[in-house]
Amino acid sequence: MGTVVVAAALVLVIGLAVRSMIKDKKNGKSLQCGGDCKHCGGHCH
């Protein structure tokens, strides 16, 4: 039973992290360029 609880918590945390990354990507933020289009030439959007 403990394994199921830990697995469910892990899936929840990973899901929230992925959701946050998708939300940031839609808002123009990115791990690659950080939203600074002068730096990356606008290739991250």
Side-chain angles (χ1 to χ4, degrees):
M1 187 66 179
T3 304
V4 173
V5 171
V6 171
L10 187 60
V11 167
L12 178 66
V13 169
I14 291 172
L16 290 174
V18 169
R19 185 174 136 203
S20 174
M21 289 180 356
I22 290 170
K23 185 177 176 185
D24 285 347
K25 183 84 169 170
K26 285 183 180 179
N27 288 332
K29 299 177 185 175
S30 174
L31 292 176
Q32 287 81 20
C33 74
D36 184 10
C37 289
K38 263 191 313 189
H39 175 67
C40 71
H43 299 292
C44 61
H45 299 287

